[in-house]
Amino acid sequence: MSKLSRRSFGKLAAGTGASAVVGPMLVPFAIAQGAAKVVIVGGGAGGATVAHFVKTAAPNLDVTLIEANATYSSSFFSNLYLGGFRSLESLSHGYAGLRRLGIRVVHDYANAVDPKAKTVRTRGGRTYSYDRLVLSPGIDIKYDSIQGYSRDVARIMPHAYNTDAAQKRLLKQQLQSMRDGGTVAMVMPNNPFRCPPGPYERACMIAHYLKARKPKSKLVILDPKRSFSKQPVFTEAFDRHYKNIIELNLSTELDDFSVVSVNPKTKEIVTKAGKRVRADVANVIPQQRAGEIASKAGINDGDWCPVNAENFSSPKVPDIYVLGDAAIAAEMPKSAFSANSQAKVVAADIAAALAKKDKFEPRYRNTCWSLLAPDDNVKVGANYTPKGSKLDPSGSFVSQRGESADVRKQNYQESIAWYNSITDEMFAKTRPAAAGKKG
Ligand SMILES: Cc1cc2nc3c(=O)[nH]c(=O)nc-3n(C[C@H](O)[C@H](O)[C@H](O)COP(=O)(O)OP(=O)(O)OC[C@H]3O[C@@H](n4cnc5c(N)ncnc54)[C@H](O)[C@@H]3O)c2cc1C
């Protein structure tokens, strides 16, 4: 295997393509053994990638990853589980690969940061000191954004919108045990939220399941927004594949379909416009905010965390980086692809700073694929370059209505390659070489 120069690492940092980029071999940054400590909170799309890349870039760094769960259950591709295209197990990933690299993986919940002492404390009572701290805690659900909703009610009306595997399983079980002719309701969140096309891909996946198994059933969408990501291709799919199943209620100037209250006993949902839906299955996706460790570290501004666009460091507290869904990354959407791309910039920036070397020119990228129906997949994406405090998009693309079946099928294949590639990178997995291929 050839070694990559540090300049190539900068290029690599641009993002995960559909092809796998696993365990880059680098000319390592020279940092004396134990000379510096990097602590990362959150072992998801952002944090796990930072851990992998920073340790590979500077193997002598003392890297600790604090992650609440022993197994990561990806939100991305969880809609495919609901549609019957994947198992829940296929979304689950462990941390053995990162441990093999020499990263200290601690399964505990970080609940305090002292930026002056440069320490992180955990629920388990441990304290970790850092030279650089990376926070990638993803989202917390704002349970109180809907009257009647709560953490307990989520066990009756699941959101299934974070890394909790039990939430995904519950929603699927509810769909499976619903009678044919029942009503599924989806409560959509207002901007900004995790994965802009995610709820609409979910609508397609639920409708696909209903069409195949419970064709007399309906899916009612209640949406506080007037428009949404990839709307033309989603609404084309609603018409083409799910005409008598999906009822889309988008808000207008006259009718506001923001949900004001839910009743877990009757499963009734009430909107501002006065529409009432009595659901058999209610998927309630409330408003969201950065994971709570962000506010405990004092790096948030309201619900989300501002960042310096050139490296995702916090403008509020020195030596702390924040990336992924918790960050306000201007126009860059909250996606796993974005988080992974940001993570490579963060890793390179930390390694260069600690080795007192020149930094790389940062580049970011995002692509979000959405499955509409079997082999019918659409995508949206762009590159992003820091310009002042903003991230300037360029080279953007989005799937169009009326595309050929071949294009849509190719998108689907790309999306599967991307899932394998990003989870390989996050968890430093090594896949067996393809049959017949050696060395
Ligand atoms: C239905 C759905 C579909 C999606 N589809 C796509 C898609 O197709 N493509 C795409 O790119 N993105 C998709 N996404 C979005 C993607 O899942 C997120 O954008 C991405 O996971 C964000 O990465 P992150 O690192 O910010 O957070 P996460 O990946 O959620 O990781 C956060 C981690 O931090 C841990 N954590 C939080 N707080 C603490 C703490 N205090 N102490 C210890 N650990 C902590 C959590 O346990 C979690 O493991 C989808 C999301 C959903 C909900």
Side-chain angles (χ1 to χ4, degrees):
M1 262 201 274
S2 65
K3 288 193 170 190
L4 295 178
S5 67
R6 290 203 292 262
R7 185 167 294 281
S8 332
F9 181 73
K11 284 188 184 148
L12 245 176
T16 301
S19 61
V21 182
V22 185
M25 295 289 291
L26 301 166
V27 178
F29 283 97
I31 295 173
Q33 188 81 43
K37 291 182 176 162
V38 177
V39 174
I40 300 153
V41 176
T49 311
V50 173
H52 180 183
F53 276 69
V54 83
K55 185 68 180 171
T56 317
N60 285 340
L61 273 180
D62 182 330
V63 180
T64 301
L65 174 64
I66 304 174
E67 163 55 47
N69 300 306
T71 305
Y72 179 79
S73 173
S74 71
S75 296
F76 45 105
F77 272 45
S78 63
N79 292 329
L80 277 65
Y81 161 63
L82 298 175
F85 294 86
R86 283 187 91 97
S87 67
L88 195 52
E89 294 68 45
S90 76
L91 307 176
S92 304
H93 306 274
Y95 292 88
L98 294 178
R99 284 201 173 93
R100 271 198 298 273
L101 290 178
I103 295 162
R104 185 182 305 107
V105 181
V106 177
H107 292 303
D108 202 344
Y109 190 82
N111 61 3
V113 174
D114 181 338
K116 282 211 178 93
K118 294 178 97 170
T119 56
V120 179
R121 247 198 0 258
T122 65
R123 245 179 220 161
R126 296 257 167 134
T127 301
Y128 298 88
S129 57
Y130 65 81
D131 294 289
R132 295 293 185 281
L133 174 62
V134 179
L135 301 179
S136 190
I139 54 158
D140 275 358
I141 302 288
K142 287 175 80 171
Y143 291 99
D144 58 2
S145 61
I146 297 172
Q147 196 191 324
Y149 203 60
S150 66
R151 199 179 284 276
D152 286 341
V153 172
R155 293 193 196 106
I156 300 165
M157 306 169 103
H159 54 75
Y161 219 70
N162 59 14
T163 51
D164 181 357
Q167 277 285 302
K168 298 165 191 148
R169 195 181 298 112
L170 176 63
L171 179 55
K172 176 121 180 186
Q173 282 167 349
Q174 289 187 348
L175 292 169
Q176 286 169 332
S177 53
M178 187 183 81
R179 70 191 161 91
D180 189 6
T183 298
V184 182
M186 279 189 78
V187 175
M188 302 309 207
N190 219 337
N191 297 319
F193 60 94
R194 160 170 282 189
C195 192
Y200 307 93
E201 179 189 61
R202 175 170 295 176
C204 289
M205 291 294 94
I206 291 178
H208 169 76
Y209 173 78
L210 297 178
K211 186 176 169 181
R213 304 292 181 91
K214 312 196 174 182
K216 294 188 207 130
S217 308
K218 259 175 59 171
L219 169 60
V220 180
I221 297 174
L222 300 169
D223 204 323
K225 301 183 289 304
R226 293 187 186 187
S227 61
F228 57 87
S229 170
K230 291 189 265 190
Q231 188 171 338
V233 282
F234 273 118
T235 50
E236 182 187 45
F238 293 176
D239 266 3
R240 180 186 294 165
H241 301 298
Y242 311 117
K243 196 160 186 54
N244 298 313
I245 296 177
I246 294 184
E247 176 196 308
L248 173 63
N249 295 283
L250 271 186
S251 291
T252 63
E253 242 171 70
L254 298 177
D255 285 319
D256 185 342
F257 292 107
S258 310
V259 166
V260 286
S261 67
V262 297
N263 182 334
K265 290 208 174 85
T266 58
K267 290 204 179 160
E268 192 175 52
I269 301 171
V270 183
T271 71
K272 265 193 191 152
K275 186 176 173 76
R276 290 169 179 269
V277 178
R278 183 70 74 93
D280 294 283
V281 174
N283 176 208
V284 178
I285 309 174
Q287 296 310 116
Q288 296 144 34
R289 65 173 153 240
E292 66 168 350
I293 193 68
S295 57
K296 295 204 165 158
I299 56 166
N300 64 311
D301 184 1
D303 285 342
W304 307 105
C305 306
V307 290
N308 293 313
E310 74 277 9
N311 60 4
F312 279 70
S313 60
S314 168
K316 302 194 77 169
V317 181
D319 298 326
I320 300 185
Y321 293 72
V322 56
L323 72 156
D325 289 358
I328 308 165
E331 290 188 42
M332 222 179 156
K334 298 183 185 301
S335 75
F337 199 121
S338 296
N340 172 270
S341 167
Q342 295 158 7
K344 292 170 191 172
V345 172
V346 168
D349 195 87
I350 290 175
L354 294 174
K356 299 190 173 47
K357 296 283 180 197
D358 289 345
K359 298 200 173 171
F360 303 112
E361 198 186 304
R363 277 167 293 165
Y364 307 96
R365 190 190 293 170
N366 177 55
T367 305
C368 278
W369 289 269
S370 304
L371 188 60
L372 308 174
D375 284 335
D376 187 356
N377 187 296
V378 287
K379 61 183 176 181
V380 62
N383 298 317
Y384 298 86
T385 320
K387 222 178 209 174
S389 61
K390 294 249 161 18
L391 282 161
D392 213 23
S394 62
S396 54
F397 56 88
V398 60
S399 294
Q400 301 295 313
R401 282 169 164 249
E403 284 171 337
S404 72
D406 281 353
V407 166
R408 296 295 179 84
K409 188 175 179 178
Q410 193 186 324
N411 289 344
Y412 183 48
Q413 285 161 352
E414 268 177 25
S415 75
I416 293 168
W418 169 76
Y419 187 90
N420 292 336
S421 164
I422 186 174
T423 49
D424 284 354
E425 283 192 356
M426 288 166 65
F427 302 104
K429 289 187 196 179
T430 43
R431 283 175 187 270
K437 238 180 161 186
K438 286 195 176 156

